[in-house]
Structure formats: C-alpha cells, structure tokens
C-alpha cells in the first residue's frame, strides 16, 4: 500500500518593518556634471581652442597662424555674405549623390554575396583589389572619362563609399545567428525578402558602423578632390573655398573653411548617426 504524498505545512512569517535604513546621498554637483559626456567633450574643445589662441599670440603672425577670434570673425563674415553657405550646399549636394549611390551599390553587392557563391567570390575579389586603392587616385581617370563636372566627383565618391560599407554589411550578414536564418527559411523567405526581413535588421549595428565609416571616407575624399581639382565641381565647394583663399593668402578664411569641415563632420556624426542608433540598435537592446 503506497503512502500518501507528503504535504508541506504552510505558515506565514511576519517580518519586522524596515527602519533606520541608510539613505543614499546624491552625488556632489561637480561629480554629476563631470559624468555628463557632452560637458567633458566641450571642455576638451575649449582646451584645444585656448591652446590655439595661445600659440597664435606667441607666433604673432596672422599670415602663418591666425587666432581663434580672427578665424571666427572671417567665418561670420563669409556666412553673412553668403559665400560659405553656397560652398556648403555645393559640397553636401555632391556628397549625398555619391554617398547614396555608393551605399545602394554596397547593399546590393552584399545581398548578392550572401545569397550566391558567385556573389561571395565577386565581392571578396573586388574588395581585395579596389579597397586599398585611394579614391583620390581615380580622379584623373574620372576627369578623363566623365569630364569636368560633378559626375567625376560622384564616381570617386562611389568608390570611396562602396567598399567599406560592403565589407561591414557582409560582416554583419555573416554574423547573423543560424537560428534566425532557419526561421526565415521556415517562413518561406528567400531572395530580397529574406535579406530585407531577416538579415538587415539582425546586422543593423554592423551596417550603421559601415555607413559611418563610408561617410567619413566620402567627406575626406570630397574635400581632397575639391582641393586638387576644385573647378571640376562646377561652382566649387568647401575644398575649393579653402584652396582659393590659400592662393589669396587669406589664412583666416582657410581656417574658417577647415572649421566648417570639422563642424559638419561632428554634426553628422553626433546628430544624424547618433539619432539613428538611438531609434534602432540602442532602442532594441542590440548595442549599449
């Protein structure tokens, strides 16, 4: 005869109330301010500007090294008279055309590589051959093939953007877990639907990293191309603005152009890409 199952007795235990617990004191104001990333970065920028101004005062040669105040004055004057805004619009419009075209081609090449063996061989071979090739080295050929105009600059920008984005995208596609791949196949996904629905969302951190690298490459390539062949960009952009003022010995305007290049780079990096990360990979917990 089997014994009945053991029933554990239930009881209720009264816990003493929590009293005299230590209250966590807030951090001092200076420590809370120091924990703000934006404030630390602003202090670094202020330190760099202070060192620049000190070096300019020691040099005492405006032709060689103008001070911060002179550079800001030249920047303000050219912003008011419309010269700098015109150059900024010319550069950014050319940059966006080449950047978008290169990003689209990189995504197509990566999608082809992840779906076919021929695509993998093609992408690995082309990246090994063309990725180490500096984009600015292709500008003479671009001018020969496409003539003076934005087409030659866009061709060079596509080269500078395509390969880093393709490499990062392919790396992200390759790191997608096999579980997600099998789930997509079980739902009958294949071809473009498989890439858009499964691979792109799962590899978004790598894709965004490639987009940031491609943006930096494209921005540097464009400024360098305009410095060397500024007339090929039609009315000229920021690179041509720097080159022209260097020829006329307006060093304060040269520094104003350089500050504009830096400011646009920081703005795109800190606003555009940071916002994309916040609303995607950081919001979904894919990245800290």
């Amino acid at each position: 005869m089997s014994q009945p199952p053991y029933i554990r007795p239930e009881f209720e235990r009264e816990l003493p109330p929590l009293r005299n617990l230590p209250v966590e004191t807030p951090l001092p104001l200076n420590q809370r301010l120091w924990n703000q990333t934006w404030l630390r970065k602003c202090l670094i920028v202020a330190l760099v500007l202070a060192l620049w101004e000190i070096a300019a005062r020691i040099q005492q040669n405006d032709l060689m090294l103008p001070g911060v105040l002179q550079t800001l004055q030249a920047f303000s004057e050219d912003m008011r008279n419309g010269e700098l805004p015109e150059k900024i619009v010319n550069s950014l419009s050319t940059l966006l055309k080449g950047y978008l075209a290169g990003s689209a081609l990189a995504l197509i090449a990566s999608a082809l590589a992840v779906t076919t063996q021929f695509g993998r061989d093609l992408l690995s071979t082309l990246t090994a051959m063309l990725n180490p090739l500096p984009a600015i080295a292709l500008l003479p050929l671009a001018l020969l093939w496409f003539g003076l105009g934005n087409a030659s600059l866009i061709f060079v920008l596509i080269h500078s953007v395509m390969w880093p984005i393709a490499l990062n995208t392919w790396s992200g596609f390759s790191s997608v877990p096999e579980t997600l791949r099998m789930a997509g196949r079980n739902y009958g996904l294949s071809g473009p639907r498989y890439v858009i629905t499964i691979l792109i969302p799962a590899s978004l951190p790598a894709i965004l990293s490639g987009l940031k690298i491609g943006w930096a490459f494209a921005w540097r390539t464009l400024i360098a191309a305009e410095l060397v062949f500024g007339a090929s960009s039609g009315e000229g952009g920021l690179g041509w603005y720097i080159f022209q003022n260097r020829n006329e010995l307006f060093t304060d305007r040269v520094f104003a152009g350089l500050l504009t290049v830096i400011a646009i780079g920081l703005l795109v990096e800190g606003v555009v890409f940071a916002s994309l990360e916040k609303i995607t990979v950081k919001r979904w917990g894919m990245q800290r």
Side-chain angles (χ1 to χ4, degrees):
M1 182 176 180
S2 62
Q3 295 181 353
Y6 173 75
I7 301 177
R8 186 176 63 180
E10 297 182 1
F11 58 91
E12 183 178 351
R13 176 177 296 175
E14 300 238 357
L15 298 176
L18 299 175
R19 294 173 183 170
N20 299 326
L21 291 177
V23 179
E24 186 177 353
T25 58
L27 293 174
L29 179 61
N30 58 348
Q31 190 171 352
R32 279 182 286 165
L33 290 176
W34 185 250
N35 289 335
Q36 301 295 322
T37 304
W38 65 269
L39 182 59
R40 295 196 303 270
K41 292 183 178 181
C42 289
L43 289 176
I44 293 173
V45 172
L47 178 61
V48 171
L49 294 178
L51 292 175
W52 175 9
E53 184 65 27
I54 292 172
R57 291 178 183 271
I58 294 174
Q59 182 78 19
Q60 291 186 350
N61 188 341
D62 297 341
L63 181 63
M64 296 294 295
L65 182 63
V68 178
L69 297 180
Q70 289 177 282
T71 302
L72 292 179
Q73 183 178 0
F75 174 81
S76 177
E77 290 177 359
D78 284 350
M79 287 296 289
R80 285 198 303 268
N81 61 32
E83 185 176 1
L84 257 180
E86 180 185 358
K87 305 301 183 186
I88 293 172
V89 170
N90 290 339
S91 290
L92 289 181
S93 61
T94 304
L95 177 73
L96 286 177
K97 294 174 185 176
Y99 183 75
L100 293 177
S103 301
L105 291 174
L107 183 59
I108 294 173
S110 301
L112 183 64
V114 82
T115 52
T116 64
Q117 181 64 47
F118 174 76
R120 285 191 287 275
D121 296 338
L122 180 65
L123 182 61
S124 61
T125 304
L126 291 181
T127 51
M129 292 170 53
L130 299 178
N131 191 40
L133 183 65
I136 195 66
L138 294 177
L139 188 56
L141 285 177
L143 293 172
L144 181 63
W145 293 341
F146 302 104
L148 296 176
N150 285 335
S152 54
L153 286 180
I154 292 173
F155 173 80
V156 173
L157 289 174
I158 290 174
H159 171 79
S160 67
V161 168
M162 182 176 177
W163 309 116
I165 295 180
L167 284 174
N168 278 269
T169 304
W170 166 243
S171 176
F173 287 171
S174 301
S175 62
V176 174
E178 189 62 29
T179 306
L180 290 177
R181 297 173 181 269
M182 293 173 63
R185 297 190 193 101
N186 289 338
Y187 277 100
L189 300 177
S190 62
R193 291 183 58 201
Y194 173 71
V195 174
I196 294 173
T197 308
I198 301 296
L199 296 183
I200 290 181
S203 57
L204 200 54
I207 295 175
L208 284 178
S209 176
L211 290 174
K212 287 195 289 187
I213 295 173
W215 151 258
F217 282 10
W219 190 226
R220 289 183 298 181
T221 300
L222 177 65
I223 299 302
E226 289 179 343
L227 279 168
V228 179
F229 297 101
S232 65
S233 60
E235 299 176 355
L238 281 173
W240 181 242
Y241 171 85
I242 296 170
F243 181 76
Q244 197 173 27
N245 283 290
R246 195 273 297 176
N247 289 339
E248 298 174 4
L249 299 181
F250 294 146
T251 314
D252 53 350
R253 285 179 164 79
V254 172
F255 275 85
L258 294 175
L259 283 181
T260 305
V261 172
I262 294 172
I264 293 175
L266 291 175
L267 187 65
V268 173
E269 180 79 17
V271 176
V272 178
F273 287 110
S275 300
L276 284 175
E277 289 178 349
K278 285 181 181 179
I279 63 177
T280 54
V281 295
K282 290 184 179 180
R283 182 179 179 182
W284 299 338
M286 302 169 67
Q287 196 178 68
R288 293 183 62 185

